[in-house]
Amino acid sequence: MNTDERAVWGDADVSSGKDAGDENFPVGSLLISRRLRPHVHAYYDFARVIDDIVDTDRLDAEAKIARLNAMEDVVLGRRAAPARRDAQTAVRVGRTLAQTGVSTPTATDLIVAFRQDAVKNRYDSWEELAEYCRYSANPVGRFLLELHGEDPRTFGPSDALCTALQVLNHLQDCADDLRNLDRCYLPRPWLEREGVAVDDLRRPATVPGLRRVFDALLDRVDMLNREAASLPGLIRDRRMRMEAAVIVGLSRRLAARLRRQDPLAERVKLSRKDVLGALAGAVRTLV
């Protein structure tokens, strides 16, 4: 790399090394056809790397945005990528988009969200949070649906599901996000209304006002999950229909767990029983 390129890419990648097994929900699972799985994994690897770029403490905000911009340029074919893992994920996802005809914004919209994460660490309304999810989460569902050639009618309930999953993840990680990244996605006016503050997320257990904020967000998630319930019935591909049904079931189960458990006191996560229950429920979508 020349000096200018090194200034953008740095001397080493910042990818975390996490893989699909670190996620709550299936990523390119066996429910997706073997023919399409490599494209799903290429997309996932790209999303993981750009997420790692914005979450690393080894880059300042300006450097993060410069590297995200470079990743976008590689996806769009506007620049070459160095021969290293993080940059090559952009090459592979660009190749996937070209081979499959899936729309470019399903990848580049993720970069919009992560640029925002580099400079914004507080949210002042549900609408702001939903707009963030529009770019950080909804493109993932649209990528899968476009990859399977599904009708655009599926996009609305898919967006609802993906936004629900993103908010659930914010609730799971609310203490870690604040401690490690000084980032809080809970709307500040909601906290103020209940007489609590962002710093209450640093406590070892949830205080009553904060619990009410969590439950108010879960009320929104429940509404989104109800909208998402129609998604499997709109999907033509049998495997993708089952995948969607499983994820709808897991989203509902995780929301219920977050109602009962305290994300400050413990890591709230799905159990094997939850997964088996969601699978059993999904089977009914094939009958």
Side-chain angles (χ1 to χ4, degrees), residues 55-275:
D55 284 351
T56 186
D57 59 3
R58 296 165 58 188
L59 302 173
D60 61 20
E62 183 178 356
K64 290 176 181 180
I65 291 172
R67 196 171 297 191
L68 290 169
N69 289 344
M71 292 287 281
E72 181 178 61
D73 285 344
V74 173
V75 173
L76 297 174
R78 297 191 298 222
R79 75 191 300 162
R84 45 189 255 191
R85 180 186 180 276
D86 56 351
Q88 288 300 310
T89 63
V91 173
R92 287 193 292 275
V93 84
R95 190 178 300 134
T96 274
L97 298 176
Q99 290 173 354
T100 63
V102 173
S103 63
T104 301
T106 59
T108 56
D109 277 359
L110 298 176
I111 295 175
V112 173
F114 295 140
R115 284 195 198 102
Q116 181 169 308
D117 274 335
V119 297
K120 182 178 177 65
N121 59 9
R122 298 291 185 272
Y123 285 78
D124 288 320
S125 68
W126 168 260
E127 289 72 24
E128 274 192 2
L129 182 56
E131 180 71 2
Y132 171 77
C133 295
R134 172 188 170 190
Y135 292 100
S136 68
N138 298 1
V140 179
R142 292 192 179 211
F143 171 85
L144 290 169
L145 293 167
E146 288 189 32
L147 185 65
H148 286 81
E150 296 297 335
D151 192 282
R153 291 185 306 144
T154 59
F155 292 170
S158 172
D159 289 350
L161 176 60
C162 292
T163 294
L165 296 176
Q166 181 72 88
V167 174
L168 290 171
N169 184 249
H170 291 332
L171 287 171
Q172 283 180 293
D173 294 343
C174 58
D176 286 344
D177 283 345
L178 185 63
R179 180 173 57 251
N180 299 329
L181 304 169
D182 189 32
R183 196 180 296 153
C184 178
Y185 295 97
L186 280 60
R188 281 188 292 194
W190 293 26
L191 295 168
E192 293 167 3
R193 183 180 65 212
E194 299 299 343
V196 291
V198 169
D199 278 344
D200 284 303
L201 292 170
R202 304 185 192 277
R203 294 176 179 268
T206 299
V207 296
L210 191 55
R211 180 72 256 179
R212 290 191 291 273
V213 173
F214 291 166
D215 288 343
L217 282 168
L218 289 168
D219 289 343
R220 298 292 182 112
V221 167
D222 288 345
M223 291 173 60
L224 291 166
N225 279 337
R226 286 193 290 272
E227 184 178 348
S230 66
L231 177 61
L234 296 174
I235 294 175
R236 296 183 296 254
D237 182 272
R238 187 178 175 88
R239 284 175 172 266
M240 187 61 211
R241 189 188 320 145
M242 181 114 175
E243 177 94 349
V246 169
I247 298 175
V248 167
L250 292 175
S251 182
R252 287 175 171 170
R253 288 170 180 271
L254 183 54
R257 280 194 172 275
L258 282 161
R259 290 272 189 192
R260 301 191 304 268
Q261 296 174 242
D262 184 353
L264 300 193
E266 60 182 323
R267 173 65 178 175
V268 180
K269 59 183 181 180
L270 293 161
S271 68
R272 181 177 176 82
K273 183 179 179 181
D274 289 322
V275 175

